[in-house]
Amino acid sequence: MAKQVKKVAFLTAGGLAPCLSSSIGFLIDEYTKKAPEVEMIGYVNGYMGLLKGESIPVTPEVRKHALVLTKHGGSPIGNSRVKLTNVKDCVKRGLVQEGQDPLKVAADQLVKDGVDVLHTIGGDDTNTTAADLAAYLKTNNYDLTVVGLPKTIDNDVYPIRQSLGAYTAAEEGAKFFMNVVKENSANPRALIVHEVMGRNCGWLTAFTAIYYHKMIARKSFALLPDFGLTRGRQDVHAVYVPESRCRFEDEAARLRKVMEKYDCVNIFVSEGACVKEIIKEMKKRGEEVPVDAFGHPRLDKVNVGQWFAKRFGEMLGAEKTQVFKSGYFARAAAPNKKDLGLIHTCCVKAVESALAGIGGVVGKDEDQKNIVRACEFERVKGGKPFNVRNSRFRKLLKEIGQPIPRKTRVVKK
């Protein structure tokens, strides 16, 4: 143990993912086993609670039943989207006063609360904010260790091979579509668009489609093909991700054949696909594109799914188009078995690192042979693209008859 750790704090931030509650549960349980004398608190609603000095204690009862948290989705201590370096936004939301530095306010609160270790559980924005905080603490000689865990269903964090909760989100998205795909039987010439979360990275869309394709293959269709029960009608027919260009004319020609054969077309699309083109059209019409605290365009306002539905609906002569979004359904789930194993492994390493005074974001380090370790904050950033030449993705596209992209298109933030 590099230094005596007396008090540990947790916070969860950003959007939900199927790992937040579980991460807290595993961390509390691991500290209880390895350092039972350590006091623990959770900041309410992420960095917002840290700035406001709002926290809840980890009581003996919580320690005793901590693993119950691994069976739940969401976050028991709440989330928020707050960037400590966005002073204007912090002032606007009443989290700091005019002239105050949010990083200093956060650091002073940690000192006031007597915190020795801060665990941040979040995506690239959360952990880059954690990196900013860690750098500020180091520069200003605050003796505090920050250890992050990589939460993002987009699975787009450098140098982390697999972010926590992404496997589950893909599986849950596939389950979601298993039901809504039946809507294509409610109307002739139906176009169903499944919009999947993923701002700059298509991993979640690709793997949701891969999981769904496998699920549908296990269904029984062989006995009643002449009565309309066919796998082809319920399968995925196209997948569009930010890292590959959509050649609409070519795809429309291919999908018109699908429409004629099955009387429907089912498309999976990332919420970040073609965003640049859509925003350009919006601005041309004089429409304002709102942004969040991190400067990202508000994707709910851009509405990629509706854009794809309108464009392909016209090109395919669809009588009815419907857009379904699985994001909130998928990201609020409890983790599956595969994710639970990864979350537990990372939490064990996070506690070990914290007690040794080693900061960083814990995960499988792609640059270190996928060893689970605390990756240095300066190496952690978002925007890692999905490799469209991924073997499982190529296999899917080949089976559904969609051209395989030649290379990965890097999407700039």
Side-chain angles (χ1 to χ4, degrees):
M1 190 181 294
K3 67 174 182 178
Q4 186 178 8
V5 175
K6 295 180 179 179
K7 194 171 184 178
V8 169
F10 313 110
L11 66 78
T12 57
L16 297 183
C19 67
L20 299 174
S21 182
S22 295
S23 295
I24 294 171
F26 282 132
L27 286 170
I28 292 172
D29 186 65
E30 190 65 16
Y31 273 111
T32 300
K33 291 175 181 175
K34 298 289 176 62
E37 73 285 355
V38 169
E39 183 183 351
M40 291 178 273
I41 62 171
Y43 283 110
V44 179
N45 296 325
Y47 289 110
M48 180 180 288
L50 173 55
L51 290 173
K52 295 168 71 175
E54 295 179 355
S55 64
I56 52 178
V58 176
T59 64
E61 192 70 9
V62 173
R63 287 176 182 264
K64 181 180 178 182
H65 301 292
L67 293 182
V68 169
L69 293 171
T70 66
K71 303 180 186 300
H72 291 268
S75 171
I77 56 177
N79 282 28
S80 66
R81 291 186 181 276
V82 174
K83 187 174 178 65
L84 297 181
T85 53
N86 189 338
V87 180
K88 186 177 179 181
D89 182 65
C90 289
V91 171
K92 181 181 177 182
R93 296 165 76 167
L95 301 177
V96 299
Q97 296 178 8
E98 194 76 49
Q100 285 187 310
D101 180 354
L103 284 168
K104 186 176 188 308
V105 173
D108 288 345
Q109 187 62 51
L110 290 165
V111 172
K112 180 181 178 181
D113 290 337
V115 173
D116 300 300
V117 172
L118 174 65
H119 285 285
T120 58
I121 308 162
D124 64 301
D125 288 329
T126 300
N127 285 311
T128 51
T129 297
D132 292 334
L133 181 57
Y136 180 89
L137 293 167
K138 184 177 180 181
T139 301
N140 292 276
N141 299 315
Y142 286 81
D143 188 20
L144 189 143
T145 303
V146 182
V147 181
L149 286 169
K151 170 248 41 151
T152 171
I153 58 177
D154 293 359
N155 194 28
D156 66 342
V157 180
Y158 289 106
I160 309 296
R161 180 175 178 80
Q162 186 70 32
S163 57
L164 311 183
Y167 288 132
T168 304
E171 183 177 84
E172 292 295 322
K175 290 178 184 176
F176 172 89
F177 196 70
M178 187 66 71
N179 279 2
V180 300
V181 71
K182 303 300 192 298
E183 285 292 328
N184 66 19
S185 65
N187 207 84
R189 297 190 71 82
L191 171 61
I192 303 290
V193 178
H194 180 192
E195 183 181 317
V196 183
M197 284 185 169
R199 178 180 295 276
N200 299 303
C201 179
W203 184 94
L204 182 61
T205 302
F207 273 77
T208 300
I210 290 166
Y211 284 12
Y212 176 75
H213 185 65
K214 287 180 66 177
M215 285 181 184
I216 211 75
R218 294 195 291 266
K219 288 274 188 178
S220 176
F221 294 101
L223 301 178
L224 297 171
D226 298 329
F227 201 67
L229 189 66
T230 64
R231 174 181 171 183
R233 185 176 177 83
Q234 296 183 36
D235 211 339
V236 53
H237 301 131
V239 186
Y240 304 117
V241 296
E243 294 86 352
S244 63
R245 298 185 184 279
C246 178
R247 302 184 184 282
F248 282 95
E249 295 295 337
D250 293 343
E251 279 296 276
R254 179 179 74 84
L255 293 175
R256 272 195 291 270
K257 295 176 183 177
V258 175
M259 181 70 86
E260 296 306 320
K261 183 175 182 179
Y262 297 117
D263 202 31
C264 65
V265 168
N266 307 318
I267 292 173
F268 282 47
V269 61
S270 295
E271 65 177 354
C274 294
V275 162
K276 200 172 180 181
E277 293 91 330
I278 299 172
I279 289 177
K280 187 183 292 184
E281 288 183 12
M282 290 175 72
K283 288 182 176 178
K284 194 174 181 180
R285 293 193 298 266
E287 297 177 26
E288 185 181 351
V289 183
V291 297
D292 61 20
F294 293 87
H296 304 315
R298 288 271 303 278
L299 294 180
D300 58 327
K301 302 299 182 184
V302 175
N303 221 328
V304 168
Q306 289 291 349
W307 188 79
F308 266 80
K310 184 176 186 299
R311 192 159 185 179
F312 271 126
E314 293 171 353
M315 297 173 86
L316 301 179
E319 284 195 19
K320 184 178 182 180
T321 62
Q322 290 175 284
V323 179
F324 296 100
K325 300 182 181 184
S326 61
Y328 295 110
F329 176 87
R331 76 180 195 171
N336 62 17
K337 187 176 180 180
K338 191 171 186 178
D339 259 323
L340 271 175
L342 179 61
I343 296 166
H344 180 253
T345 298
C346 289
C347 285
V348 170
K349 177 57 71 171
V351 171
E352 177 189 310
S353 300
L355 293 176
I358 301 171
V361 179
V362 175
K364 292 184 176 181
D365 190 336
E366 290 183 311
D367 300 330
Q368 300 282 342
K369 299 181 179 180
N370 294 319
I371 295 171
V372 176
R373 61 184 297 274
C375 303
E376 296 75 11
F377 276 116
E378 56 269 23
R379 297 172 56 224
V380 178
K381 62 179 180 176
K384 181 175 71 175
F386 169 62
N387 180 9
V388 294
R389 301 295 294 175
N390 175 283
S391 60
R392 295 178 68 179
F393 187 54
R394 282 190 289 117
K395 183 174 185 290
L396 169 69
L397 296 186
K398 184 177 181 180
E399 290 180 0
I400 66 176
Q402 182 175 341
I404 299 169
R406 293 182 178 180
K407 62 180 181 178
T408 299
R409 173 193 179 198
V410 179
V411 183
K412 294 183 179 180
K413 287 190 173 183

